Amino acid sequence: MMLWHVFATLDSTNDYLKRTYAQYKEPCVIWAQKQTKGRGRFARSWESGDDLTFSLFFPTPTPAYLLAPLSVVEALKAFHIQAKIKWPNDILIQGKKVCGILIEQVYEGSSCVAQIVGIGVNTTNKSGALANTATWVELAPHVLLEAIVTAYERLLRYRKEELLMLYRQYDLLQGQQLLLDDVLWTVQGIDEDGSLCLWRDGILRICKSEEISLRQLYGSDDIENHRDRV
Ligand code: BTN
């Protein structure tokens, strides 16, 4: 059972852990009820108001690129909310992003001494994107947090192949066509390292999440809306 450390306000739960990881020896949850300087991927800022913002700390790395998105979609499923994973780890409901994940590691020399899994979920429903999801309004941040942490702890016991199989069940992009360098590719899915595999005319292209932003890949977020209509 992971211990929870609850803060009224932090700049960023990821940055807090980057500063203080040495004082935590066991996996734990850092929950900030308010975050003033949240960060997203590719140095974007993450505005969260009263939304759920927390980071999980692990002294040794976990396959977080699978565990983190899966723990969120499985937690939502427990509340009868169907969500999808958009590679690498955005969570979407009815085509709208409701959760972002920022996974970071701290190295001392060549060894990873801290894995920080930052998760932000839009629980306050400001955008109206979740208006049709009746259960959502009843989901207080701490209730959802508990469900996500429980799911993460359960999934930690899975083998990697099992996690990959589960990821594929929720994968929004699999089978979709994507434009990259003016060429249309078909998404095969993710490989065991969490890279996205694209295929066309006998050519396999493997994209790492650090190297590619899907915004850059599509030029727009239309794919979600398209998928919504299908
Ligand atoms: C993204 O979609 O770009 C990732 C967003 C990650 C936001 C979370 S909120 C909790 C944790 N602390 C941060 O500063 N960022 C992550």
Side-chain angles (χ1 to χ4, degrees), residues 26-96:
E26 301 290 333
C28 65
V29 181
I30 302 296
W31 175 26
Q33 287 163 331
K34 263 206 196 318
Q35 208 178 223
T36 54
K37 242 179 140 186
R39 289 187 295 110
R41 296 176 65 232
F42 302 108
R44 297 180 192 126
S45 70
W46 181 262
E47 306 292 334
S48 44
D50 294 325
D51 293 329
L52 175 60
T53 49
F54 66 99
S55 298
L56 303 176
F57 163 77
F58 297 94
T60 50
T62 64
Y65 56 92
L66 297 171
L67 290 167
L70 281 173
S71 65
V72 176
V73 288
E74 291 267 295
L76 291 171
K77 197 172 163 193
F79 297 104
H80 310 288
I81 298 171
Q82 309 305 324
K84 290 273 183 190
I85 304 170
K86 188 180 125 196
W87 180 86
N89 39 33
D90 287 347
I91 309 300
L92 280 73
I93 298 176
Q94 294 165 1
K96 303 278 186 208

Side-chain angles (χ1 to χ4, degrees), residues 1 16 42 53 66 74 139 145 150 183 201 214:
M1 283 275 286
Y16 167 81
F42 302 108
T53 49
L66 297 171
E74 291 267 295
L139 271 185
L145 175 55
T150 303
V183 179
D201 300 335
L214 280 189

